[in-house]
Amino acid sequence: MALVEIENITKNYQMGEIQVQALRNITLSIEEAAFVSFVGPSGSGKTTMLNLIGCLDRPTEGKIAVDGKDVSTLDRKQGAIFRGSLLGYIFQAFNLFPVLTAYENVEYPLVMVKNESPARRKKHVLEVLNAVGMINQKDKRPDQLSGGQKQRIAVARALVTRPKLVLADEPTANLDRKTAVNIIRLMREMRDEFNTTFIFSTHDPGVMEEAEVIHTLEDGRLSHSKQRLASVPEGKNDSNI
Amino acid sequence: MIRIFKIAVRNLMRYKRRTLLTSLLITLGVLMVILFSGLSGSFKAMMIGQITDANLSQIQIHKKGYVSSMDSSPLNLNLNSKGYAKIEGILKSHPAVDAWAPRIKLGAMLSNYSETTNIRLNAIDPEKEVRVCPDVGNRMTFGEKGQRKELIRQGEVILPDKLAKGMKIRLGDTVVLVANNKDGSVNGLNFVVGGITETVVGPQGKEGYMHIEDARSLLRMEEPEITEVAVRLKDFDMLDTANTDLESALAQFKNKVEKPVFEIHTWEKLSPFYNIARMIDLMAASMKLIMVAIVLISILNVMIMSVYERVREIGTMSAIGTTPGKIMGLFLAEGITLGLISIVAGNIIGLGGIFLLNIYKIRFSFGRMDNLLLTPSVNVSELLWLSLVVLLVSVFASLQPAYMASRMEPVDALGHV
C-alpha cells in the first residue's frame, strides 16, 4: 500500500466573491521512502497540495489517506496529533523559533509533541544534529546561523521525531543555488539513512532534478508525472509514470 | 512544564523594553497596594487601639435608650445594683469575655476659682478600668515621676490636656466640681488635679476622669448606680460573635411593658472613627481595584501584541504537531510568568519600603491628637492574597489571547505576512 493515496481531490478557495480552484481532480499515490517533488510555477497549487497531505487544510472534494488514515476530515486537534506522530515539516523561511538555540529548536517537537524523557531527547537530538552536520553549531540561536545552516536545523527538527513523511514547502527558495542543491541532497541522504518519505515543492529547475519522482502542477491540475532513477546520470533516465 | 516556562521567559525577553515597562507598571501597582495597606492598616490599628484600649473599651452595655441621649449624660438612665448584677451574671458565663468595669458618666461645672467651664467626666473603678482599657494610663501624666501604681485616687480628678491648658490648671492644683444629681439638686466638692490626660478621637475622648466613689458622693447617690459596663474580650476578632451572643443573652431581661432593659454596643457604634476606618478600607479596596485594572490591561495588551506578532510562529508550532491546548498553555505561561516576576519584584520592593518606613518613622497629627507614630506592617496572609489576586488576574488576562492563538487555523497562520 502507498504511504499517500490521493483520490480526486479538489480544493476551492473563496476570495471575496470569486471562487478560486487551487486544485482540480487530482489523483496520485506516493510510495514509502520516496523522494518526491511537486513542481510548477507560482499559483499552480504546490503549497495547497502539501497543506492537504499534511492535514493543515481540508479538500473541498475527494479523499486523502496518509499511512492508511483518511486525513481529509480531521479536526484541528486531531490534525495536530496526527502531524506530531507521523509528519515532519520544513518551511521556505525556515520558521525556526528565534528564542531557542539550534539544539532547542530540534528538541522542541520532542518536548511539546512527543513528550520523551530527557535522556532519550538528548540522544535523538544529538543524533540528527550529527546527521545534518550541525553538531558544532547546536548552541547558536537562529540569528547567528546562515540560511543553509538554518535549513539544516529545520531538516533536523523535521526528522527528530522519526516521522514516516517529511513535507518541505519550497525548502530552497531562500537559498543560493549551491546551498539549495546541498540541502536537497542532505534531505535525500536523510531519506536513505532514516527511510523517511520526502515530499517537497519547488519551482527551481536545478533543484527539481534532484527528485526521484516529479509531479508537475499547472493551474491546479496534475499535468504530468515522471520518475527518475537517482543512480543514472541526469537527463538519461526520465520516464513518464 | 519547566520547559514551557523556560520558553515563556525567552519569549518575554524577545522584547526586553516592553516586558520591562509592563512588569514595572504591575510592580508599581503591587508596591502601591502594599505601602497603602501597610500605612493605612497601621493608622487604623493604632486608632482603634487608642479607642478600645485607652478610652471606650471594646463593648459597652447601658440601660436601654442611654446611647441615643448620651450627649446630655442623663442620670435617670443609670443602672441600679440589681441591673449591674444581672449584667455581671451574663458576662461571667461568657467564655469570650476577659474583663468588665462599671463607669458613671456625668457632666459637671469645673472651677479653678477664677474661671468656670463645663466638663464631662468618666468616673471609674481604677483597678477594673485598667483591665478593660489597659492603655488608659498611657494617656495620662501624673505629678509623680514615672507611671504610678494607681490610675486614680479618691479625691483626685484627671483633666483633659486642652481644658487644663486653657484654664491654666496645673498638676496638684485644687479645683471645684459642681454637679446636679438626678433629682436636680446641686452639690460641689473640692478635688486635687492628680493627672492630665491626652485627648483622643471621638465623643468620649475629651472626658476627664474621677474615682467612681467620688462620683457617687458628688451625685449624692443613696444606692450605688452606674451608667455603663465596659467589656473587654479575650480575642478582639471575636467582637461580632461575642456581641451577638451577649445581645441575645441580655434580651431576656424585659421591663414591665415587655421591652428590653439593656442595650449593648461595640466600639464601632460608639465612635465616629468607625466611619473613617470604613473609608480607609474603601480606599484600600479602590487601590486594589486600580491594581487589578493595571495588571489586567497591561498583560492583556502585551499578550495580544505577542499573539499578533507571532502568527507565523503559531502556525509553525501547529504544523509540527503542537496541539491547540499546548499552544494555549505556552501563551498562558507567558502571561503568568510576567505576572509572577512582577509579584516577586513588587513584594520585595514593597517589603523594603515598609522596612524603610519603620526605620524613618512617620509622625503625624490627627484631630487634636499630636505626635502620633505610624509603624506600618503587612502580614503574610495579606501578601499571599495580594499575590494570588495578581496571579489570577494574570491568568485571566492571558486567557483570551492564548485562546485566540490556539484557535488559529495553521494554514492561515503559516501564510500570514
Side-chain angles (χ1 to χ4, degrees):
Chain A
M1 189 180 68
L3 182 67
V4 180
E5 299 267 11
I6 297 171
E7 277 179 43
N8 283 323
I9 58 157
T10 297
K11 179 66 186 175
N12 299 334
Y13 289 113
Q14 197 71 35
M15 295 184 79
E17 291 182 2
I18 302 162
Q19 196 175 60
V20 179
Q21 276 204 306
L23 291 174
R24 307 170 196 215
N25 284 321
I26 292 178
T27 299
L28 58 86
S29 62
I30 295 167
E31 298 300 319
E32 271 192 54
F35 199 68
V36 181
S37 173
F38 282 98
V39 300
S42 268
S44 59
K46 306 187 291 294
T47 298
T48 304
M49 177 59 84
L50 292 190
N51 287 344
L52 292 177
I53 296 170
C55 51
L56 291 174
D57 206 354
R58 293 171 202 88
T60 311
E61 285 171 26
K63 188 180 155 189
I64 301 175
V66 179
D67 198 32
K69 187 174 177 70
D70 183 1
V71 298
S72 42
T73 55
L74 298 180
D75 65 20
R76 196 181 289 118
K77 187 180 174 185
Q78 291 167 333
I81 293 169
F82 184 77
R83 286 191 295 275
S85 62
L86 210 81
L87 305 185
Y89 256 94
I90 301 168
F91 304 92
Q92 177 182 334
F94 324 122
N95 290 24
L96 298 178
F97 301 118
V99 294
L100 303 181
T101 63
Y103 180 96
E104 289 164 338
N105 262 289
V106 178
E107 191 189 27
Y108 178 90
L110 298 180
V111 177
M112 297 300 289
V113 181
K114 289 279 184 180
N115 206 15
E116 283 194 353
S117 70
R120 281 177 65 83
R121 278 206 307 261
K122 190 174 181 184
K123 180 177 171 281
H124 287 150
V125 173
L126 293 177
E127 206 171 272
V128 287
L129 277 172
N130 196 39
V132 299
M134 288 297 289
I135 195 83
N136 294 329
Q137 312 291 327
K138 67 182 172 64
D139 296 324
K140 289 187 175 169
R141 294 266 174 104
D143 58 2
Q144 297 169 306
L145 299 172
S146 68
Q149 287 174 323
K150 283 180 197 169
Q151 205 56 305
R152 279 173 183 269
I153 296 297
V155 171
R157 182 176 67 182
L159 287 168
V160 76
T161 55
R162 298 293 161 84
K164 282 196 166 180
L165 173 64
V166 170
L167 298 166
D169 188 13
E170 302 268 9
T172 58
N174 284 1
L175 303 173
D176 60 70
R177 168 59 60 85
K178 189 180 165 198
T179 312
V181 172
N182 284 341
I183 287 292
I184 294 298
R185 285 180 181 162
L186 171 73
M187 284 164 51
R188 202 161 57 192
E189 283 166 30
M190 294 299 105
R191 186 279 308 266
D192 296 340
E193 189 171 340
F194 298 107
N195 206 33
T196 304
T197 307
F198 272 79
I199 303 174
F200 64 96
S201 64
T202 185
H203 59 265
D204 183 341
V207 169
M208 69 180 74
E209 290 305 313
E210 297 290 328
E212 291 166 7
V213 179
I214 301 170
H215 296 293
T216 306
L217 295 170
E218 280 172 18
D219 289 334
R221 288 194 177 86
L222 184 65
S223 64
H224 65 278
S225 302
K226 63 180 178 179
Q227 185 158 11
R228 298 171 64 250
L229 294 174
S231 54
V232 179
E234 285 178 31
K236 304 280 184 183
N237 62 343
D238 291 0
S239 62
N240 287 327
I241 297 169
Chain B
M1 186 63 89
I2 294 167
R3 288 277 165 156
I4 288 181
F5 277 94
K6 197 176 162 187
I7 294 171
V9 171
R10 299 253 185 104
N11 279 325
L12 286 171
M13 294 315 286
R14 271 191 222 204
Y15 308 101
K16 289 190 185 72
R17 194 180 302 168
R18 184 170 77 193
T19 302
L20 187 71
L21 284 173
T22 309
S23 185
L24 268 177
L25 198 62
I26 300 169
T27 301
L28 199 67
V30 174
L31 174 69
M32 272 164 52
V33 171
I34 290 175
L35 289 183
F36 187 82
S37 296
L39 286 167
S40 64
S42 154
F43 173 69
K44 230 177 76 177
M46 190 195 63
M47 295 304 292
I48 293 171
Q50 283 257 8
I51 291 163
T52 59
D53 296 351
N55 182 223
L56 290 182
S57 77
Q58 294 167 357
I59 293 174
Q60 291 184 1
I61 301 168
H62 302 94
K63 195 168 187 175
K64 185 79 179 171
Y66 178 83
V67 169
S68 59
S69 54
M70 67 193 298
D71 285 347
S72 60
S73 302
L75 295 169
N76 61 331
L77 288 174
N78 278 352
L79 296 160
N80 59 22
S81 48
K82 269 171 70 183
Y84 181 46
K86 284 174 185 170
I87 293 169
E88 275 197 307
I90 299 287
L91 295 175
K92 268 180 196 165
S93 62
H94 199 287
V97 174
D98 185 36
W100 63 90
R103 292 171 178 166
I104 297 171
K105 297 295 180 81
L106 66 150
M109 298 297 288
L110 170 76
S111 170
N112 62 356
Y113 301 103
S114 59
E115 289 177 73
T116 303
T117 188
N118 59 326
I119 182 172
R120 287 171 61 89
L121 289 157
N122 189 2
I124 56 171
D125 178 332
E127 284 178 16
K128 289 182 178 172
E129 186 68 17
V130 289
R131 290 186 61 202
V132 292
C133 288
D135 294 339
V136 67
N138 298 342
R139 289 169 52 207
M140 297 174 181
T141 48
F142 303 98
E144 297 149 38
K145 284 189 177 174
Q147 291 297 92
R148 66 182 194 181
K149 206 171 178 185
E150 311 88 349
L151 200 62
I152 191 162
R153 295 170 186 151
Q154 285 194 26
E156 281 184 350
V157 65
I158 294 173
L159 297 179
D161 52 358
K162 310 286 181 192
L163 189 145
K165 195 177 174 187
M167 290 186 74
K168 299 182 183 68
I169 298 171
R170 292 179 186 171
L171 288 166
D173 287 358
T174 301
V175 292
V176 180
L177 285 173
V178 179
N180 278 37
N181 70 2
K182 68 178 173 185
D183 299 328
S185 64
V186 179
N187 189 28
L189 290 173
N190 285 337
F191 289 90
V192 174
V193 178
I196 303 291
T197 180
E198 282 175 10
T199 307
V200 291
V201 70
Q204 297 173 49
K206 295 175 215 165
E207 290 173 349
Y209 285 86
M210 66 190 301
H211 198 285
I212 196 164
E213 293 302 330
D214 288 342
R216 283 176 181 146
S217 302
L218 184 65
L219 295 169
R220 289 195 288 205
M221 286 180 179
E222 289 169 9
E223 294 291 328
E225 289 180 6
I226 57 162
T227 310
E228 69 190 21
V229 181
V231 182
R232 183 176 181 81
L233 302 174
K234 288 172 184 161
D235 180 3
F236 186 66
D237 294 336
M238 294 287 291
L239 187 70
D240 291 334
T241 321
N243 184 58
T244 310
D245 289 351
L246 292 173
E247 192 170 23
S248 58
L250 290 168
Q252 64 181 292
F253 301 110
K254 303 270 172 55
N255 60 17
K256 287 172 190 169
V257 288
E258 287 299 303
K259 292 275 171 70
V261 177
F262 306 113
E263 61 184 17
I264 182 166
H265 296 94
T266 61
W267 74 271
E268 296 158 348
K269 296 279 171 18
L270 299 165
S271 171
F273 184 76
Y274 178 62
N275 290 326
I276 298 172
R278 285 183 64 183
M279 193 63 78
I280 290 169
D281 289 342
L282 194 71
M283 283 168 70
S286 306
M287 292 286 283
K288 284 174 189 162
L289 205 66
I290 291 168
M291 184 206 64
V292 165
I294 289 173
V295 176
L296 192 72
I297 293 166
S298 308
I299 292 187
L300 189 67
N301 183 42
V302 165
M303 293 312 298
I304 285 178
M305 275 199 280
S306 187
V307 169
Y308 279 120
E309 283 161 356
R310 286 154 57 194
V311 172
R312 277 173 70 95
E313 204 172 300
I314 293 163
T316 308
M317 287 179 201
S318 183
I320 60 181
T322 315
T323 56
K326 283 187 177 167
I327 293 174
M328 190 164 167
L330 265 173
F331 280 89
L332 270 179
E334 275 182 47
I336 291 168
T337 305
L338 188 58
L340 270 176
I341 292 168
S342 311
I343 289 167
V344 172
N347 279 342
I348 290 171
I349 300 170
L351 287 174
I354 295 281
F355 180 71
L356 285 176
L357 286 173
N358 276 291
I359 291 175
Y360 303 102
K361 299 183 187 305
I362 299 175
R363 289 179 192 279
F364 70 105
S365 299
F366 184 77
R368 296 175 74 183
M369 299 158 71
D370 297 324
N371 211 24
L372 297 170
L373 184 70
L374 274 187
T375 48
S377 65
V378 278
N379 56 40
V380 177
S381 63
E382 198 172 343
L383 278 185
L384 285 176
W385 265 111
L386 179 67
S387 304
L388 189 70
V389 167
V390 176
L391 194 63
L392 287 178
V393 175
S394 305
V395 173
F396 184 71
S398 312
L399 267 178
Q400 197 272 340
Y403 181 74
M404 192 168 76
S406 73
R407 300 295 296 172
M408 279 182 189
E409 284 292 343
V411 70
D412 297 332
L414 282 168
H416 182 82
V417 183

